[in-house]
Amino acid sequence: MKNRKTIPFDFVLEQLFAAEPVVKPMFGCYAVYVRDKIVLILRNRDDFTDDNGVWIATAPEHHESLKHDFPSMRSVKLLGGRITAWQNLPYDSADFEESVIKACSYILGGDQRIGKIPKPRKKRKSKG
């Protein structure tokens, strides 16, 4: 069993250091935020291992152009096979680290294809 306190692929944080990334646990993974956007999820779990790697927050209209830049990029399978905003740079691909470093450089450069502003959380009603 992997230690859940260890952030996988921490070289991502080194690459994004200049942008002051914020990391938050999310669904047994780690979400990486830069400014007001979620940009990546770092996933290395024992279940659904095909989806381990670095997930890119994007939109379906950017998939084709990003796929050109990241040939190993694929949809996240555990999300049901439908087209989603998330694309995976799979850990088991030969160009994993190279692709992730490239994605980080795109984030630092302000590439508009990467990153999504999360929807605001609903406030809980106070009991009174």
Side-chain angles (χ1 to χ4, degrees):
M1 185 85 169
K2 295 176 182 69
N3 180 352
R4 296 286 180 233
K5 303 260 185 229
T6 303
I7 297 172
F9 319 122
D10 58 356
F11 71 93
V12 169
L13 304 179
E14 294 171 19
Q15 294 296 314
L16 294 175
F17 180 78
E20 300 177 356
V22 173
V23 179
K24 297 179 183 180
M26 181 183 284
F27 309 120
C29 304
Y30 292 90
V32 179
Y33 295 80
V34 171
R35 291 174 284 289
D36 59 343
K37 293 182 177 182
I38 185 170
V39 292
L40 304 171
I41 287 183
L42 311 177
R43 184 184 198 283
N44 191 18
R45 294 182 42 143
D46 296 330
D47 61 337
F48 300 102
T49 57
D50 284 349
D51 284 327
N52 284 341
V54 174
W55 296 9
I56 298 174
T58 187
E61 61 266 21
H62 301 306
H63 290 185
E64 187 176 334
S65 65
L66 286 171
K67 181 77 173 162
H68 177 75
D69 294 345
F70 304 103
S72 64
M73 186 183 84
R74 63 181 183 225
S75 292
V76 176
K77 296 175 184 175
L78 70 85
L79 297 178
R82 67 187 196 286
I83 296 174
T84 70
W86 293 100
Q87 293 290 289
N88 184 13
L89 297 174
Y91 177 64
D92 60 2
S93 66
D95 64 345
F96 172 70
E97 194 165 328
E98 176 186 334
S99 291
V100 172
I101 290 169
K102 185 184 217 180
C104 290
S105 72
Y106 285 17
I107 293 165
L108 291 173
D111 192 311
Q112 294 300 304
R113 299 174 298 171
I114 300 176
K116 295 185 71 68
I117 297 174
K119 294 178 184 173
R121 298 181 110 190
K122 293 181 181 177
K123 294 183 180 181
R124 293 183 183 188
K125 293 181 181 178
S126 60
K127 294 181 180 179

